[in-house]
């Protein structure tokens, strides 16, 4: 039977994990987790990962695995963190060396968590001997017992979750068809949190596969990948985004919408919010606006607005 642990939480987290909070509200909290402080992001996801409701638990696992490096590192600056939380972070973010170093510097890290990270680091050194200086003894701190409580507390069952990561390929590698197929097969074996990690960090081929994933958190993760290019964004819009969230994220990125061809593609995509399409329409040249005025392949509202813009220009 799983152990019961007590952890300290803030009112912002308590609002989503307290007794009587509905499943929908818990899921809403996870969906808007980025609006919370870094520490609350970690705590909310961790608490809801221990839920008995499988839907909430699965969503929380996804969010916990997708927490940003900055959020996790800020959280790890606290002096006393429950060992169970450190263990969960270790098993979800072991692929990030900065987070691993921060974890090993935590006073409350448990011996089994340290042992797990040592194994991971040893494997990394075996793969890359130049990284050997990463394994320094001074970052391994002693584990101590932790059990602080305060006004807001949550009792949660600690599970035995462990993450199996996949190595990240780097851009610039020449991939043959066989290797691409092998990636496609790996996707079938990956859990949601692993897919999200790969969407956020993977190379172009991983992105081209994961953008088609039916899970919004996975496909949206591709859009948030810092290495994605304007060319990929243009292809995603033209080929057809899997969900509205992808288009929303593209429209919200001012750098991408500076690109003339991306604005045109967004106007032509039926998933683009109408107010965005109309705004982009007014930035196009007269030739393209005239084309939309005669087009039967776009919204009648856009075509009508295009006609108005042409008439206005003729009057001027």
């Amino acid at each position: 039977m799983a152990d019961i642990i007590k952890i300290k939480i803030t009112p912002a987290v308590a609002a989503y994990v307290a007794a009587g909070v509905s499943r929908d509200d818990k899921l809403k909290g996870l969906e808007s987790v980025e609006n919370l402080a870094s520490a609350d992001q970690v705590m909310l996801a961790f608490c809801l990962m221990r839920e008995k409701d499988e839907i909430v638990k699965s969503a929380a696992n996804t969010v916990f695995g997708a927490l940003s490096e900055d959020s996790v590192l800020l959280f790890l600056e606290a002096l006393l963190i429950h060992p169970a939380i450190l263990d969960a972070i270790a098993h979800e973010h072991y692929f990030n060396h900065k987070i691993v170093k921060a974890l090993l510097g935590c006073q409350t890290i448990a011996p089994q968590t340290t042992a797990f990270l040592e194994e991971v680091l040893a494997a990394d050194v075996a793969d890359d001997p130049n990284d050997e200086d990463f394994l320094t003894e001074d970052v391994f701190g002693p584990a101590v017992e932790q059990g602080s409580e305060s006004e807001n507390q949550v009792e949660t069952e600690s599970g035995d979750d462990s993450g199996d990561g996949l190595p990240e390929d780097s851009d610039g590698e020449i991939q043959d068809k066989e290797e691409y197929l092998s990636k496609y097969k790996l996707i079938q074996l990956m859990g949601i949190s692993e897919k999200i990690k790969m969407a956020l960090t993977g190379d172009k081929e991983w992105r081209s596969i994961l953008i088609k994933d039916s899970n919004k958190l996975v496909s949206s993760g591709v859009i948030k990948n810092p290495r994605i290019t304007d060319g990929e964004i243009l292809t995603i819009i033209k080929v057809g985004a899997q969900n509205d969230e992808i288009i929303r994220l593209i429209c919200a990125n001012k750098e991408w919408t500076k690109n003339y061809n991306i604005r045109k593609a967004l106007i032509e995509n039926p998933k683009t919010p109408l107010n965005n399409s109309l705004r982009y329409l007014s930035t196009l040249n007269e030739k393209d606006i005239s084309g939309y005025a005669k087009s039967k392949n776009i919204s009648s509202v856009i075509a009508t607005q295009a006609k108005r813009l042409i008439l206005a220009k003729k009057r001027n």
Side-chain angles (χ1 to χ4, degrees):
M1 185 166 176
D3 296 330
I4 301 296
I5 64 174
K6 289 185 177 182
I7 54 177
K8 176 180 173 181
I9 60 173
T10 65
V13 175
Y16 295 107
V17 304
V21 177
S22 68
R23 172 197 285 175
D24 286 346
D25 285 339
K26 289 174 182 177
L27 292 175
K28 285 177 183 176
L30 290 170
E31 288 173 4
S32 59
V33 71
E34 292 180 353
N35 297 328
L36 299 176
S38 296
D40 288 341
Q41 290 180 30
V42 178
M43 292 301 295
L44 177 61
F46 176 80
C47 291
L48 294 182
M49 280 166 63
R50 269 60 189 169
E51 283 282 316
K52 292 180 180 178
D53 186 319
E54 287 300 323
I55 293 177
V56 173
K57 184 177 180 180
S58 175
N61 271 285
T62 297
V63 170
F64 195 81
L67 288 169
S68 71
E69 176 186 288
D70 289 343
S71 293
V72 176
L73 290 176
L74 282 171
F75 175 78
L76 292 175
E77 289 178 1
L79 292 177
L80 295 176
I81 303 171
H82 198 288
I85 304 176
L86 296 178
D87 191 68
I89 293 173
H91 282 86
E92 283 293 342
H93 295 272
Y94 62 87
F95 56 89
N96 185 309
H97 280 189
K98 288 183 181 179
I99 291 176
V100 170
K101 282 184 176 181
L103 280 166
L104 292 171
C106 291
Q107 297 178 19
T108 53
I109 190 168
Q112 62 267 29
T113 306
T114 300
F116 166 73
L117 293 176
E118 285 178 331
E119 287 181 15
V120 170
L121 294 175
D124 284 348
V125 169
D127 291 337
D128 183 4
N130 293 326
D131 217 17
E132 192 168 5
D133 61 346
F134 185 76
L135 290 169
T136 53
E137 293 182 2
D138 59 323
V139 296
F140 291 90
V144 300
E145 292 298 323
Q146 211 285 65
S148 65
E149 301 175 25
S150 75
E151 296 179 18
N152 291 307
Q153 298 171 351
V154 59
E155 291 192 0
T156 178
E157 294 189 357
S158 59
D160 298 323
D161 297 335
S162 62
D164 295 322
L166 291 169
E168 177 189 345
D169 293 322
S170 58
D171 283 334
E173 292 183 354
I174 299 174
Q175 306 282 346
D176 57 25
K177 185 177 178 182
E178 213 171 287
E179 194 166 352
Y180 179 87
L181 288 175
S182 122
K183 284 183 177 180
Y184 188 80
K185 288 177 183 177
L186 282 173
I187 291 292
Q188 316 306 314
L189 304 174
M190 293 166 69
I192 295 297
S193 62
E194 292 171 314
K195 287 183 182 181
I196 291 174
K197 291 176 195 173
M198 196 57 72
L200 292 167
T201 61
D203 64 13
K204 186 175 181 179
E205 289 185 354
W206 280 117
R207 295 195 292 271
S208 69
I209 296 171
L210 292 171
I211 193 65
K212 301 169 187 173
D213 198 275
S214 59
N215 187 292
K216 288 185 178 183
L217 289 172
V218 176
S219 55
S220 297
V222 172
I223 301 300
K224 297 175 183 177
N225 188 311
R227 292 190 288 174
I228 197 165
T229 64
D230 284 10
E232 289 175 76
I233 292 298
L234 189 57
T235 299
I236 289 167
I237 301 168
K238 286 186 173 181
V239 170
Q242 292 294 310
N243 58 69
D244 297 342
E245 178 66 11
I246 291 174
I247 296 297
R248 187 190 69 77
L249 289 170
I250 294 172
C251 289
N253 188 303
K254 293 181 179 179
E255 290 303 313
W256 289 333
T257 54
K258 285 179 182 177
N259 184 305
Y260 189 91
N261 289 325
I262 286 178
R263 292 201 304 277
K264 277 189 64 179
L266 285 168
I267 290 170
E268 294 163 10
N269 190 302
K271 290 183 183 290
T272 303
L274 188 57
N275 63 319
N276 290 96
S277 294
L278 293 174
R279 187 168 73 250
Y280 302 146
L281 182 66
S282 63
T283 69
L284 302 186
N285 61 43
E286 189 171 342
K287 180 181 177 181
D288 285 327
I289 293 175
S290 296
Y292 288 132
K294 302 171 186 175
S295 176
K296 295 181 180 179
N297 297 321
I298 60 171
S299 161
S300 60
V301 177
I302 295 174
T304 300
Q305 180 63 16
K307 291 174 185 176
R308 288 174 180 167
L309 289 171
I310 294 298
L311 286 172
K313 287 187 178 182
K314 286 181 179 179
R315 287 170 186 163
N316 295 333

